[in-house]
Amino acid sequence: MLDTASPAAAKVAAPPPEAGATSARAPLIRREALAFALFAFFAIAPAIAQVGAEGYLLSLVIRAMIFAIAALSLDLILGYGALVSFGHAAFVGIGCYAVGILMAHSVSDLFVQLLATLLASALFALVTGAISLRTKGVYFIMITLAFGQMIYFLTTSLAAYGGDDGLTLPSRSAVFGTDVLENDLVFYYLVLACLVGVYALLRAIVGSRFGRVLRGTRENPVRMQAIGYDPYRYQLVAYVIAGMIAGLSGFLLANHIEFVSPAFISWQRSGELIIMVVLGGMGTLVGPIVGAMSFLFLEEILARITQDWKLIFGPLLVLVALFARGGILGFFRRKA
Amino acid sequence: MYTTLILVQTLNGLQFGIILFLIAAGLTLVFGVMDFINLAHGVQYMIGAYFAFAFTSWTGSFGLGLLLALPAALVFGLLLEALVFRHLYDKDHLEQVLATFGIILFLNQGVKVVWGSSPLFVPVPEFLQGSIVLFEGFFYPTYRLAIIGAGLGVAALLYVLVNYTRAGMLVRAGATNAKMVSALGVDIRRLFMIVFGFGAMLAGFAGAMVAPILSVEPGMGDNLLILAFVVIVIGGIGSIRGAFLAALIIGLVDTLGRTFAGDVLRLFMDPGAASTVGRAVAPMLIYILMAAVLFFRPAGLFPVKR
């Protein structure tokens, strides 16, 4: 079972050890400071954006925050549970389509849509997680990919809801019957509040007893079992939580661009989520936020320099993989 | 009429499966022997198609173009191996995903820069044009039959190479236990390089063969990459024989499923619902199959003997 020579045992490097040992307290505090600085930046960004082409910048930052939420959720299972999900975009898609389908039936209430999003993504996570977590390592990567592809093809076949072409939403969700979210600034701060809330929630989960068991399972599932924990149950709960949070990000994404499409669920999107987490630094919670921001901002900046920006972006990813162990956060920690 | 449709679709499925096998063969070895997740294997297929296009229009003959595309794909694969992949074997899976994803972005854009983003077409070689009468009233395009034939030929060649040559023996040993092979004094890096280059060439061959029947365009390898992963997981990672059988299964299930899922469902439900559900279920079939295999037999249907 623990035959490391077989491909069954996925090579997933454990992120650097952190909190728990007293000597590792310092990085955690620095991380909190970084998170706080990022949130403060997001909070005043609209004021700065007023100077330039505000609508465009604001929209970019909203997108970065939404993907940061999705990447954060992936970090819970990938960074803290060593569960490499290659189908995480499915949950984002479920959130998108929960909004889109309800909208198409003229149910525009935010709370109803949010409830549907969370229930649907929790249910999907529970069913697919219960099956996927029976497999290990590389096989887990592949089975989550399979489930992601199933949702992808399911949405392409939803002819009543746009099929391949996707579905344009008539408006954003209504709050108590008002269209207050149509105001971009209000929506901006709603997304920011979700991001801060998700971060605080995940930080609490990771620091709790549950989080410690999850990390113990990452390090050595057999030992955890030996001291009386059932890794499967903890991993499944983490998988469901991560799925629901990713669903929330999908809910916000649909509201942001007022359009949903199967393209959000393709395997490349799942790959991008993994890349955001690894790029920023997995198992840190701040890393995924940094990763999502870097990914989207770099994309924008490079796209302004040349339309062939992928010629620069691709090799950059290769360089990060080769030389920056632990992602951007790990790179700077070594410098410090 | 209906029998003809079934026969045609079966042959189409077979032809699709053969192409999948050519891609999956390299992927399963790279995965099985080197424990390396190579997302960039799909772009090797795309590169092969572009090489076939470039050399065919240069020489004016598809045969010559194909002949030149093969070594070009091999050299390209070896170049990538030396530049990037060689440095990734010791890294963990996530870093391999990150780097090979970067290579996909780079090469998909690269072919756009060189050949433009609109789809390109390669003419079917003259002597393979038209259809063959297989039996009374049953026609099938000659070129597609040629693909099936060529693929079966390559499969036979691979079988001989893997089972009856020294290099093949080392590859089989490597798939079972790479560390042990290395400990026995085999230059495992060179073995990796050969496996990698050969896999890249096979994928390139697949791309070159489909160039005349599909449009050659950026990103054409992205979806086939995922299908190739489905194949190697179902077949058993590292197993060529498994990849061959699984590729045929996937090719047939996918092609026949897309054509007949609605008709089969019509036996149980009313026609309108059947065609809707059929359209939804058909493309999911192979992924359902993959999830089921992973759940019940994680090592695949035809695993490498350990």
Side-chain angles (χ1 to χ4, degrees):
Chain A
M1 179 184 171
L2 289 174
D3 175 16
T4 44
S6 84
K11 296 184 291 183
V12 175
E18 46 138 357
T22 41
S23 60
R25 270 268 175 259
L28 185 61
I29 291 168
R30 266 213 299 280
R31 250 180 243 160
E32 296 293 1
L34 177 58
F36 190 76
L38 285 174
F39 296 147
F41 163 75
F42 285 139
I44 59 165
I48 306 171
Q50 298 270 307
V51 187
E54 47 179 306
Y56 164 74
L57 270 179
L58 214 57
S59 161
L60 175 63
V61 180
I62 290 179
R63 211 149 52 91
M65 291 196 293
I66 290 173
F67 279 99
I69 294 174
L72 266 173
S73 74
L74 182 59
D75 195 28
L76 175 68
I77 50 174
L78 195 158
Y80 292 91
L83 301 169
V84 184
S85 165
F86 204 165
H88 211 59
F91 296 105
V92 179
I94 288 173
C96 286
Y97 271 88
V99 176
I101 290 173
L102 284 174
M103 277 292 191
H105 294 284
S106 315
V107 180
S108 61
D109 187 73
L110 178 134
F111 297 101
V112 176
Q113 291 180 353
L114 191 59
L115 191 70
T117 297
L118 295 179
L119 282 178
S121 43
L123 185 69
F124 184 69
L126 191 67
V127 173
T128 62
I131 298 169
S132 305
L133 287 167
R134 298 275 176 205
T135 65
K136 298 274 172 287
V138 169
Y139 300 113
F140 182 81
I141 305 182
M142 292 297 149
I143 200 167
T144 47
L145 173 68
F147 285 122
Q149 290 291 90
M150 284 181 212
I151 291 291
Y152 172 78
F153 284 111
L154 182 67
T155 54
T156 60
S157 70
L158 291 175
Y161 305 106
D164 266 330
D165 302 327
L167 184 66
T168 305
L169 307 186
S171 66
R172 285 187 178 151
S173 306
V175 185
F176 301 116
T178 70
D179 59 355
V180 60
L181 285 188
E182 294 296 335
N183 182 329
D184 282 337
L185 215 54
V186 172
F187 184 68
Y188 180 95
Y189 282 105
L190 173 72
V191 175
L192 177 59
C194 288
L195 175 62
V196 176
V198 164
Y199 178 82
L201 174 72
L202 287 179
R203 182 55 80 204
I205 289 177
V206 166
S208 69
R209 178 176 155 282
F210 174 84
R212 282 201 297 278
V213 175
L214 192 63
R215 267 181 290 158
T217 306
R218 171 186 77 191
E219 302 299 336
N220 194 332
V222 179
R223 267 190 214 170
M224 289 312 286
Q225 223 161 0
I227 57 174
Y229 291 102
D230 180 7
Y232 180 80
R233 277 168 47 203
Y234 284 84
Q235 288 174 333
L236 185 57
V237 172
Y239 193 77
V240 172
I241 294 171
M244 289 169 79
I245 295 175
L248 170 70
S249 78
F251 168 86
L252 294 171
L253 184 64
N255 264 300
H256 173 45
I257 49 183
E258 298 180 52
F259 175 68
V260 301
S261 146
F264 300 168
I265 316 173
S266 68
W267 69 266
Q268 287 97 331
R269 297 291 93 74
S270 293
E272 281 173 14
L273 286 177
I274 294 180
I275 282 163
M276 287 174 192
V277 175
V278 179
L279 185 66
M282 60 173 174
T284 59
L285 293 188
V286 186
I289 305 178
V290 175
M293 282 173 70
S294 321
F295 191 99
L296 292 170
F297 290 176
L298 251 179
E299 202 177 272
E300 278 310 312
I301 295 167
L302 292 178
R304 288 190 161 209
I305 300 172
T306 164
Q307 62 172 12
D308 299 315
W309 58 275
K310 284 176 186 163
L311 288 184
I312 307 169
F313 194 64
L316 263 181
L317 293 183
V318 176
L319 289 177
V320 170
L322 288 180
F323 300 111
R325 204 184 161 77
I328 296 172
L329 242 57
F331 189 70
F332 283 109
R333 191 167 37 234
R334 264 203 312 275
K335 291 271 150 140
Chain B
M1 192 59 223
Y2 206 74
T3 349
T4 317
L5 183 63
I6 291 180
L7 272 172
V8 167
Q9 291 300 353
T10 306
L11 280 175
N12 282 344
L14 213 58
Q15 178 251 306
F16 184 42
I18 291 280
I19 292 296
L20 281 179
F21 166 67
L22 291 176
I23 303 171
L27 193 66
T28 202
L29 285 181
V30 167
F31 205 165
V33 179
M34 309 179 206
D35 193 17
F36 177 56
I37 299 192
N38 181 15
L39 296 185
H41 198 70
V43 293
Q44 301 277 9
Y45 160 84
M46 174 185 75
I47 290 289
Y50 271 100
F51 279 159
F53 169 81
F55 288 124
T56 302
S57 34
W58 184 52
T59 60
S61 140
F62 180 75
L64 271 179
L66 183 66
L67 221 58
L68 288 172
L70 283 180
L74 176 70
V75 170
F76 193 84
L78 290 176
L79 205 68
L80 268 184
E81 202 269 350
L83 280 176
V84 184
F85 297 136
R86 182 173 296 178
H87 312 288
L88 287 167
Y89 297 148
D90 300 331
K91 304 264 178 190
D92 59 65
H93 284 145
L94 285 171
E95 276 156 342
Q96 293 166 353
V97 167
L98 187 67
T100 52
F101 198 89
I103 291 175
I104 295 180
L105 290 181
F106 179 80
L107 289 178
N108 275 347
Q109 193 69 33
V111 296
K112 260 186 219 174
V113 171
V114 178
W115 283 286
S117 53
S118 44
L120 305 172
F121 298 93
V122 176
V124 175
E126 244 166 58
F127 67 102
L128 292 174
Q129 271 169 4
S131 301
I132 283 184
V133 184
L134 286 184
F135 52 84
E136 190 70 22
F138 179 63
F139 300 90
Y140 197 71
T142 317
Y143 188 74
R144 283 177 186 266
L145 278 181
I147 291 183
I148 296 178
L152 289 177
V154 170
L157 185 72
L158 259 182
Y159 180 80
V160 173
L161 276 180
V162 169
N163 287 300
Y164 298 104
T165 66
R166 190 176 157 74
M169 181 190 74
L170 291 177
V171 167
R172 273 182 293 139
T176 312
N177 194 336
K179 274 187 192 142
M180 185 60 82
V181 173
S182 164
L184 290 173
V186 174
D187 183 352
I188 199 95
R189 295 255 155 189
R190 227 182 93 217
L191 182 67
F192 282 6
M193 206 180 81
I194 293 169
V195 168
F196 200 95
F198 204 71
M201 190 173 71
L202 284 180
F205 178 60
M209 287 302 285
V210 298
I213 49 172
L214 300 176
S215 56
V216 179
E217 55 191 338
M220 64 186 280
D222 292 6
N223 286 325
L224 274 159
L225 167 78
I226 297 303
L227 291 176
F229 270 118
V230 175
V231 165
I232 70 172
V233 164
I234 290 181
I237 292 169
S239 159
I240 294 266
R241 191 176 68 103
F244 181 71
L245 295 171
L248 294 188
I249 294 175
I250 292 298
L252 287 171
V253 167
D254 196 51
T255 310
L256 295 177
R258 279 172 201 264
T259 319
F260 299 111
D263 294 347
V264 173
L265 286 170
R266 205 159 298 164
L267 302 175
F268 311 106
M269 47 176 90
D270 72 279
S275 76
T276 313
V277 176
R279 259 204 310 280
V281 169
M284 290 162 70
L285 276 177
I286 55 172
Y287 297 102
I288 294 171
L289 184 65
M290 174 183 178
V293 167
L294 278 169
F295 187 72
F296 293 106
R297 295 193 58 165
L301 294 182
F302 317 97
V304 177
K305 291 187 206 81
R306 291 193 188 279

